[in-house]
Amino acid sequence: MIVQKYGGIAMQDRQSRQLVIARIQKALINHQKVLVVVSAMGRKGQYYSTDSLLDLIPRSNDSVESDLLSACGELISASVLCAELKKEGVPATLLYGKSAGIITNEAYGNADILKVDTNKLLAVFHEFPCIIVPGFQGISEHTNTFTTLGRGGSDLTAVVYGHHLNAEVVEFYKNVPGVMTSDPFQNKSVQLITTMSYEELQKIIIEPVEIIQKKAAKFAALHKVPLHIRSLYEERDGTFVFH
Ligand SMILES: Nc1ncnc2c1ncn2[C@@H]1O[C@H](COP(=O)(O)OP(=O)(O)O)[C@@H](O)[C@H]1O
Ligand SMILES: N[C@@H](CC(=O)OP(=O)(O)O)C(=O)O
């Protein structure tokens, strides 16, 4: 069983999601079960991206309404991908909210994960080899409200599931070949790093454009979750992080 995470760029349009679907189909052949974590579609300016959704309401402190609104981005993305997968004949379903099992406190906008309940996921895996879950969100048991895990939080969702489900690997599909010596959109003379330690990964993450969310990298390091950060567009391997 593996976990795959597709970010806003991978999910942004139908053409790109065709590549996502091809990757999922291949993973089902090679690994039999795949948990797919998705982010909201696109970036600022694209209708259902996190930034565009948050632009719909007046800027204020994080609240039950701002978290519900931004959680919708990943819910839309998960629904669309699930429908497209089914149309291609992939036996997929989706889980969200309490069924997805990520239980948090009520710190809207940057909630802490208190508990991960994988019972429902494991039961559904008996029926469906491919489960889609929206990233970046959890649910508070006390208030029964949606919460979000902080910007870039779908990466954290993916590594948390990777750990709790004991996945063979957590794959991240990006618009870069993997972790490079620096951001290739800033610096032309960069090289792919094929393997690196959790410590090296944490050191190379520089805000604001993080190759993977810092909190996610920290969690992966703590629990030794094997990661593969790779390109959506190229077949070759990207960067493995496992020591
Ligand atoms: N060392 C690095 N190697 C590769 N990409 C990097 C690096 N540092 C920063 N980046 C940036 O990280 C981005 C990938 O993150 P992001 O776009 O947030 O992905 P996703 O939407 O999948 O979460 C790349 O587009 C790149 O600009
Ligand atoms: N959509 C959320 C969560 C996320 O992780 O997005 P992405 O995977 O596209 O960085 C955000 O923009 O913060």
Side-chain angles (χ1 to χ4, degrees), residues 1-2 26-34 168-169 171:
M1 181 269 154
I2 67 165
K26 197 167 171 193
L28 282 169
I29 293 168
N30 293 333
H31 302 278
Q32 291 74 53
K33 289 188 198 309
V34 186
E168 289 162 52
V169 67
E171 295 183 335

Side-chain angles (χ1 to χ4, degrees), residues 12 28-29 59 71 102 147 173 238:
Q12 67 184 335
L28 282 169
I29 293 168
R59 292 243 165 264
I102 306 236
T147 55
Y173 285 91

